[in-house]
Structures are given as structure tokens and as C-alpha cells.
Amino acid sequence: KFKYCRSSSIAWGKTKKVKRKVKPDEAPVQEMDQAEGEETEKKSVSGPCFPPTFSVSEIKNKQRRHAMFLKLKEEKRKQKLELKKKKKKERKALGDQAPPKEVPKTIENQRIYDETTVNPEDEEVAFDEGTDEFSAYFSRLTNPKVLITTSDRPRGRTVRFCEQLATVIPHAHVYYRRGLALKRVIPQCVSRGFTYVMVINEDRKVPNGLVLCHLPDGPTAHFKVSNVRLRKEMKRRGKDPTEHVPEVILNNFSTRLGHSIGRLFAALFPHDPQFVGRQVATFHNQRDFIFFRFHRYIFKNEKKVGIQELGPRFTLKLRSLQKGTFDSKFGEYEWVHKRHEMDSSRRKFHL
Amino acid sequence: MQHDDAIWDLIGNDNFCSYKVKTKTQQFCRNEYNVTGLCDRSSCPLANSQYATVREEKGLCYLYVKVIERAAFPAHMWEKVKLDRNYAKALEQIDENLIYWPRFIQHKCKQRLTKITQYLIRIRKLTLKRQRKLVPLSRKVERREKRREEKALIAAQLENAIEKELLDRLKQGTYGDIYNFPIHAFDKAMEKQEEETESEEEEDEEEESGTREFVAEDEFEESDLSDFEDMNNLKGSSDEEEDDEEESGEEEESEEELEEEKTKAKSKGKAPLKGPIRKKRAYVEIEYEQETEPAQKSKAI
């Protein structure tokens, strides 16, 4: 390795060969003694004699510092491997009585508990949901009818995306936005019996935003859209979706906010899915990203199902939820994504 | 006369003027009172003691006039005349104020007035239409979000989640009777059977008189029998109708054929699929039940 260094013995410590200890409380002294003992016998690489308050970052020379750091990492890795081996042996030795395997930490495991997480038996939540804007839909009084439109002067990609969305969502109509103001569009839609207005915003020839407005004065959600994949860009896709009403899967909407967004999505689709069509639309929430997929499934047997992706796919990220129909200036916002407050922790999610 | 030429010599063509902006082909003048905006002998407000401009303030046009008589009073050098909002009338006002002035300045002032009114009209039109709000994107944030999205996608394991959900729904029975997979029917049936074994036995005894029986040939194999018995049992337990048992033998044949065709053709499943019949299952409990059954059902010849 660093052969030229072996022969030299600097009074204050052989920094090159120093086996660095990360935590001073990990009994470095023993190591040191050991190493010193070794060193006196053979001039090997493992020869640390360092003062306990030593730190790799104190070495001014970059190359030496780097080398020290690499050694340090190597040592840590070795220790880790040893530990693993030891544990494995113990586990084998104990056999049945071995303690259960430790669950690895994931972001979902370590998620900061959100106080607004919905408990399934919560009465208050149930009451709220019985009386909110979607109660009409969930008590089967209204059928969804969706109007899909874009921002001004949409480009081809956005137009095609709208068309494909219209095939995925039953009773959806695409209209060309001729520079009309949303605030004027919405009362007209209400009068014609629409329950939803979906506006796909476009930037640089690519759809990048979605405003979903539930119509008879329902909440308005504004999402950021990313990773839009149109049908022809899908690999191994199936044939075009049929006219059957798809099923809906909503995954991982756990908090109050998540619940309301979930209901927002659920109310897009008619109540009774036609199982004959074997189509399913999925809204899967993971770490505040909502992934939309549209599949056709087939049950091969009772334990196995095959799914084939049709339809467009995209991901959404909620930016704001506003009570009432679209009014960006004077609307009352239930939830707005504030980057500095909400993105400060990697383990905190809101949906 | 009044230093005009001298001034122009000093600041003019290739000399320095602090208002001058030079490009490859042209020189511009940044002076606010300049009519044309170019750095020219006749357009320079510093090098012309008699000069006029049109400027716009808060939607109103004003004519600024400079004459040599006021050259000594810098504070009052420029005379500001408010022009009419009506374009035609404003033109007449300019004519009136700049009568006997060199045609160049008159013309340029009118041109400038025209331009100003045009852009004011456009501003008014645009404010009526919906303005697009430009929201700046922070590149760092966008990159971070993109990466987080990728990681979230990997963590989501979408296909598995969807499949799991669909299978759960199948188990719960939200699909009703569309998919008749044996195991599910079995599980449910077994639960029911355990509760109602006695009542079933009674029913069997009662209906014996009207039932048809099919007797097997000698060469008949036991293995096939067990399968079909399972099917019988299935039908009997899931439907809980003993009447089907006599027809089940015939049905099985057709079912098998249909099934083979279906598995080959991979139909879209508009007709409900029957589950695989060929599986052998060692359900000891069911065999016990068979022993109690009086008649052995067997395949039609």
C-alpha cells in the first residue's frame, strides 16, 4: 500500500497506518495496545498509535486524508461483516429459539406519525364524510359526469392525453378551451349537470398540472402532474379500454387529507363497476405521490391474477386543496403545500 | 449657433456620450427625451436646442417641447403639454404646437404618438383577457422531487399492490359468482358443511327416491372418480341443491371441453370461467362426507 510510509516513524503518530476509530467510546485503547503490540513485533499495516481525540478531518494533506478515510471505511465494513457473521452463527446455533429477524428500516416504517391519520372506526370522520360534499355521490344520488379541458392553446401531447383520459373515465367529455375563464365555465357546467371539471395545465408542450374541481360547490384540488405516459408509449400494453365501467382501487390514503382526496378520486367513477369489463383504475399513494394506473386483469386461478396495463399512466402530487369551486384569489384553502414547512423532514408525509 | 454643433462634435459619431449604446451596426440613445431612440445628429436632444418629444405617463400622452429661449433655465427647459386622449385630436394638437417646426421633428413626434397609443390599446386588451401566471420553478426542488418520485415508485411496488388488492376482493366475494374457483367455494362450503352436516344428511335421504344414478363401467379409474366427486361435492355444497347432482356428470364433460377451449383461446371472460377441475385435493373431511352419502355418483358412459 503505502510502502514508503512503513519505514518512517513519526513521533506524533503513524497517521498512514492508523486504524481509525469512529467513536471514541468503542474502546480504542484496546485496539491501540493491540496494534502497538503488533507493531513492535512486525512492521505490518495495522499499526495505530494515535491520540484518542484524533479525527480524519484534521489531516491537512488531502491525499493522506483520503487514504485515511478509505482505511476507516474498510475497517468499518470489516466490522460490519464480522458482526453479521457472528449473528448468523448465533442464529444457527439457537435454531428455533433465535430471536426473530429484525425488520429493516424503510421510510414507510420510519414515517412520522401524523395526528390526522384516520382510524377506521372513528365516528367523527364517519359523520364528516356523511355530510361533506361527496355525500351526494356516496349515497347514490348523483352520477358522475366529467368535463375535461386544458389550458389555452394545448399542444398535441396534451390533447391526446385528454382524449385518453376521456376513454378511461366513463361519462367524460373533452372540450376545447377557447380562452374562456374558468370562473365563467363553472356555472355553465353546473347548469348542464356536470359533476366534475378537470383542467389539464400545460407547459412547454407537456401536461404538468391538473385542477380537479367537484362541481356543485365542491372542493378544488390542484395537482402537479409528472411522468405522463400515453398509450402508445406503454410497453406490452393491451388493447384499448372498452366502455365498461372500471373498478377503482385507492391505496394508502391514510390521513384526513388523504381521505378527502381519495373520495375526490372515487367520485370520478360511477358506482357500479362492470366486472365483466375486468378493468381497474388504481390511485396508489406512496410518500405523497399518487400514481395512477389503468389495468385489465384476469384471474388465472384463485391465487393468481394477471394484470396488463392499458391506458395512460401519470403521477400526481397534491399542491393545494381549496374549499369551494375554483377561485385562486379569494378561495378558502384547506391545505396548501408549503415547501419550507412541509418538506423539512424526509419522513413526514401528508396524504 | 448655441453650441449645437460643438456639442455634437464632442458626443457625436465615434465619441463618448453616456447615453450612447453601441451595437455592431447601430448606435442607440438612451436619453428619455429622445424621439427616435437612435443616436443621430437630428435626434440627439443634447445637440439640438430646439427639440420636441412625446412621452407617456400612466396612460396619458404628453408633448415635451424644448426651445432655445429656455436653454438658460434647466429647470424649466422642457414644456409639457398634455395631449388629448383621442388619437386624431392629439395629432392635431401636435400640429398646432409644433407649427413652423422642422418637418422631421413633427413627423417623428406623430410617429411616436402612434406607437404609444397602439401599445396602450394592447395593454388594455390584455388586462381584460386571462393573464397567465408564471410561477418560477426551482431547479433544485424539481430535481429533488423527481428523485423522490422515482424512489416512491420503486417503494410502491404497484403491480404487487394491485394484484394483492384484486385477490383480496376476490376472496371477500365482491365479484359474486362470476369466478367459480373451487378453493374459494370449498372454503366457504366447508364452513357451511361443518355447521350443517346433519341437515344435509336428512335432505339426501329424502330426495333419494327421485334421483337418477349413473353406474360406472368396470374399467373406470379411481383417480378420475375422485376429481369428479370433488366437482360433485362442489356443486352440491356451493349451490346446496341436490338436483344438480344427476346432471353434474354430463355437465362435467362439456365443462372440460369448454375449459380447454377457453384456456387455449384466452377469452376475454365475458362468460364466467369455471375454475380448473383437474386439481386433486386431499380434503379428508370431504371424503368422510362422501362415505356418509348413500349413492356414489359416477361419470356417464
Side-chain angles (χ1 to χ4, degrees), chain B residues 109-157:
Chain B
C109 282
K110 286 180 197 168
Q111 276 189 339
R112 201 174 163 94
L113 174 70
T114 314
K115 204 51 144 214
I116 289 175
T117 43
Q118 282 173 351
Y119 81 61
L120 286 175
I121 290 171
R122 203 194 304 156
I123 289 176
R124 274 180 250 134
K125 254 199 223 162
L126 281 179
T127 50
L128 285 179
K129 278 193 188 174
R130 296 164 26 246
Q131 307 257 2
R132 212 176 284 223
K133 186 177 174 197
L134 295 175
V135 175
L137 294 175
S138 165
R139 210 177 311 170
K140 181 173 158 189
V141 171
E142 291 304 308
R143 253 191 292 143
R144 200 203 299 164
E145 293 276 304
K146 194 163 152 233
R147 189 147 169 81
R148 285 197 184 162
E149 190 189 315
E150 286 167 9
K151 299 266 176 176
L153 182 62
I154 295 171
Q157 296 180 347

Side-chain angles (χ1 to χ4, degrees), chain A residues 108 152-153 177 179-182 202-203 224 226-227 239 244 247-251 275-276 278 280 282 284 286-287 289 291 293 295-305 307 309 315 317 339 343 346, chain B residues 130 132 137-138 141-142 144-146 148-167 169-171 174-176 178-179 181-184 266-270 273 276 279:
Chain A
E108 281 77 25
D152 284 339
R153 313 243 177 166
R177 176 97 169 271
L180 304 168
L182 265 188
E202 188 200 8
D203 181 47
K224 173 173 99 149
S226 46
N227 278 350
K239 293 188 186 165
H244 296 107
E247 296 173 47
V248 181
I249 293 181
L250 298 164
N251 274 344
F275 298 123
V276 175
R278 287 183 296 131
V280 57
T282 309
H284 182 106
Q286 189 81 17
R287 302 182 193 174
F289 287 99
F291 298 101
R293 299 286 186 269
H295 291 279
R296 182 169 280 139
Y297 63 87
I298 178 164
F299 282 107
K300 294 179 189 160
N301 56 40
E302 58 286 331
K303 292 245 170 95
K304 220 167 155 209
V305 58
I307 54 175
E309 188 155 10
T315 58
K317 187 162 199 283
R339 189 162 61 85
D343 273 355
R346 281 179 215 236
Chain B
R130 296 164 26 246
R132 212 176 284 223
L137 294 175
S138 165
V141 171
E142 291 304 308
R144 200 203 299 164
E145 293 276 304
K146 194 163 152 233
R148 285 197 184 162
E149 190 189 315
E150 286 167 9
K151 299 266 176 176
L153 182 62
I154 295 171
Q157 296 180 347
L158 281 170
E159 273 96 39
N160 292 348
I162 296 176
E163 285 171 9
K164 189 160 153 281
E165 177 67 31
L166 287 170
L167 287 171
R169 286 188 185 179
L170 182 67
K171 276 203 191 127
T174 43
Y175 297 125
I178 306 177
Y179 305 107
F181 289 124
I183 279 191
H184 287 291
K266 282 190 186 171
S267 66
K268 292 279 182 185
K270 298 233 168 153
L273 276 178
K279 281 190 184 169

Side-chain angles (χ1 to χ4, degrees), chain A residues 114-306:
Chain A
D114 198 331
E115 303 110 19
T116 60
T117 309
V118 174
N119 192 357
E121 298 107 35
D122 203 340
E123 284 173 359
E124 191 194 326
V125 174
F127 176 70
D128 277 341
E129 292 185 353
T131 52
D132 74 353
E133 294 102 349
F134 298 108
S135 54
Y137 168 81
F138 283 106
S139 47
R140 303 211 166 206
L141 291 172
T142 54
N143 277 323
K145 192 173 169 197
V146 182
L147 176 85
I148 303 183
T149 182
T150 64
S151 52
D152 284 339
R153 313 243 177 166
R155 307 288 294 204
R157 205 178 153 82
T158 313
V159 171
R160 268 178 277 141
F161 180 51
C162 289
E163 285 166 16
Q164 292 185 5
L165 266 185
T167 56
V168 162
I169 302 174
H171 309 300
H173 306 270
V174 181
Y175 281 95
Y176 181 58
R177 176 97 169 271
R178 299 175 65 232
L180 304 168
L182 265 188
K183 285 197 200 163
R184 299 236 180 91
V185 166
I186 283 175
Q188 285 189 19
C189 286
V190 176
S191 64
R192 291 190 203 188
F194 281 96
T195 55
Y196 262 101
V197 169
M198 200 191 260
V199 182
I200 297 180
N201 191 52
E202 188 200 8
D203 181 47
R204 293 221 193 157
K205 310 175 194 175
V206 134
N208 77 339
L210 177 72
V211 174
L212 193 55
C213 186
H214 185 73
L215 269 187
D217 57 57
T220 309
H222 176 41
F223 297 93
K224 173 173 99 149
V225 170
S226 46
N227 278 350
V228 172
R229 234 21 122 76
L230 298 178
R231 227 171 259 150
K232 67 175 183 181
E233 293 156 15
M234 304 276 221
K235 295 183 182 174
R236 281 169 269 164
R237 67 178 160 98
K239 293 188 186 165
D240 288 339
T242 57
E243 291 292 320
H244 296 107
V245 174
E247 296 173 47
V248 181
I249 293 181
L250 298 164
N251 274 344
N252 288 350
F253 289 96
S254 54
T255 60
R256 284 299 296 270
L257 179 67
H259 251 240
S260 37
I261 298 290
R263 285 160 72 80
L264 194 77
F265 289 132
L268 270 174
F269 294 91
H271 294 282
D272 300 309
Q274 292 169 323
F275 298 123
V276 175
R278 287 183 296 131
Q279 290 171 149
V280 57
T282 309
F283 292 90
H284 182 106
N285 172 37
Q286 189 81 17
R287 302 182 193 174
D288 282 355
F289 287 99
I290 301 169
F291 298 101
F292 172 83
R293 299 286 186 269
F294 194 73
H295 291 279
R296 182 169 280 139
Y297 63 87
I298 178 164
F299 282 107
K300 294 179 189 160
N301 56 40
E302 58 286 331
K303 292 245 170 95
K304 220 167 155 209
V305 58

